[in-house]
Amino acid sequence: MAVVNILVEGKDDLIFVRRLVEVMRTASGLAPLEWSLVNQNEKVTLKTFGGKMEFGNCVVQNGGDVIGITETRGVYGCKKNSSVPNFNPAVTTLKLGGKTYKVGQFLGIFDADAPKNFLGHDVPSGGFKARKAYLNGMLSRLPGRHSLFLLKDNGSDTCLEELAVDILAAPYNHILPKHWPSYRASLKADFLANHVPYLEYSRKCEIAQFATAVDQEVAKDLYWLAALWNPNMWNWGATALAPLTTHLKSTVPALFA
């Protein structure tokens, strides 16, 4: 029996991974997994195209194997006053059905990010190479095997939201490159002309604001992850997803058994 914990940065990443696994299973003719929430007091509720859903740290048993998805609440796991990176040791066990399982394999799925953020500030361990080295150092301190995938494609200085933009379905996939740059440029020119403070470009802002114009639940709650269940918005067969789906299938086959 394999016991695997998929470590992600926050709930946005957790929700995306859950949805992606669901889509991949459906495409293979498999039923959705029945995930159990680890802590009912630490959950987020989404009103999606398909109804109300709850998300948080979760665990499931499938084909005899136990798989968890756990948010680390950031990528910087150093203890206070320590330069040695270290994840919370709580991620080394999973609890399900009154039993505790020792994790033997870890898969980290995190943003690679860029060396500088949209404000122009340096990002500690930002950029694919630096983030990969940093997180491999953290994961190597956990007992058991580990692998790492950095969003969006395990090779560039990018993040989850950039992957989301890349998998927008037609006719939406042309809209952001066509309209977003001119929209932001117009805002910037007007703000600067009126001596109003202005924040530079952000991919999180881009996909979030776009989703409010397409999905009713996002327009209500301003949380773009709810749009992942909108059947018209996404191309789940996009080539941009291939690196991540291939990595998931090869490292956690129990998700697709």
Side-chain angles (χ1 to χ4, degrees):
M1 179 182 72
V3 182
V4 186
N5 201 357
I6 301 172
L7 305 180
V8 297
E9 186 170 353
K11 284 192 173 60
D12 287 10
D13 310 274
L14 189 153
I15 292 167
F16 185 87
V17 171
R18 279 272 306 268
R19 177 56 173 155
L20 179 58
V21 169
E22 180 181 58
V23 169
M24 292 170 66
R25 287 182 60 85
T26 299
S28 299
L30 300 171
L33 294 172
E34 298 295 331
W35 295 92
S36 298
L37 292 182
V38 173
N39 188 341
Q40 288 288 336
N41 295 322
E42 296 183 358
K43 66 183 180 182
V44 60
T45 301
L46 287 185
K47 292 181 180 179
T48 71
F49 199 92
K52 185 183 293 186
M53 304 182 71
E54 296 178 340
F55 295 92
N57 291 347
C58 54
V59 63
V60 70
Q61 187 162 15
N62 191 50
D65 296 330
V66 175
I67 308 106
I69 308 178
T70 304
E71 62 170 318
T72 61
R73 298 184 180 179
V75 298
Y76 307 112
C78 293
K79 295 180 180 179
K80 190 174 182 180
N81 299 323
S82 171
S83 61
V84 180
N86 188 27
F87 279 118
N88 186 332
V91 305
T92 61
T93 60
L94 295 172
K95 294 182 180 180
L96 180 66
K99 296 182 179 180
T100 299
Y101 299 88
K102 182 179 179 180
V103 176
Q105 179 185 347
F106 299 88
L107 166 59
I109 301 178
F110 295 91
D111 288 339
D113 286 332
K116 292 183 181 294
N117 63 19
F118 71 99
L119 295 172
H121 299 158
D122 290 338
V123 176
S125 300
F128 175 76
K129 290 183 178 179
R131 184 62 55 83
K132 180 180 179 181
Y134 178 84
L135 286 172
N136 271 325
M138 294 180 73
L139 289 166
S140 68
R141 297 177 64 82
L142 296 172
R145 296 180 292 121
H146 80 268
S147 61
L148 177 65
F149 187 96
L150 296 183
L151 299 165
K152 65 178 182 179
D153 54 14
N154 213 27
S156 58
D157 301 344
T158 46
C159 62
L160 170 64
E161 289 78 13
E162 288 172 289
L163 176 58
V165 170
D166 286 350
I167 65 172
L168 285 169
Y172 301 118
N173 54 6
H174 76 284
I175 293 175
L176 285 175
K178 181 179 180 181
H179 296 290
W180 185 257
S182 60
Y183 165 70
R184 296 291 292 188
S186 295
L187 276 182
K188 182 174 183 178
D190 191 273
F191 278 36
L192 293 180
N194 289 281
H195 307 287
V196 177
Y198 172 85
L199 296 179
E200 290 292 346
Y201 168 81
S202 165
R203 298 311 292 265
K204 291 179 183 290
C205 183
E206 176 182 4
I207 189 65
Q209 291 189 2
F210 171 74
T212 64
V214 179
D215 188 274
Q216 183 176 354
E217 296 303 332
V218 178
K220 291 178 182 177
D221 298 333
L222 304 180
Y223 193 33
W224 75 268
L225 275 298
L228 290 176
W229 281 262
N230 187 321
N232 302 314
M233 270 190 67
W234 311 99
N235 175 14
W236 293 104
T239 56
L241 268 176
L244 179 54
T245 57
T246 299
H247 197 85
L248 277 170
K249 287 179 179 178
S250 63
T251 56
V252 197
L255 284 172
F256 310 102

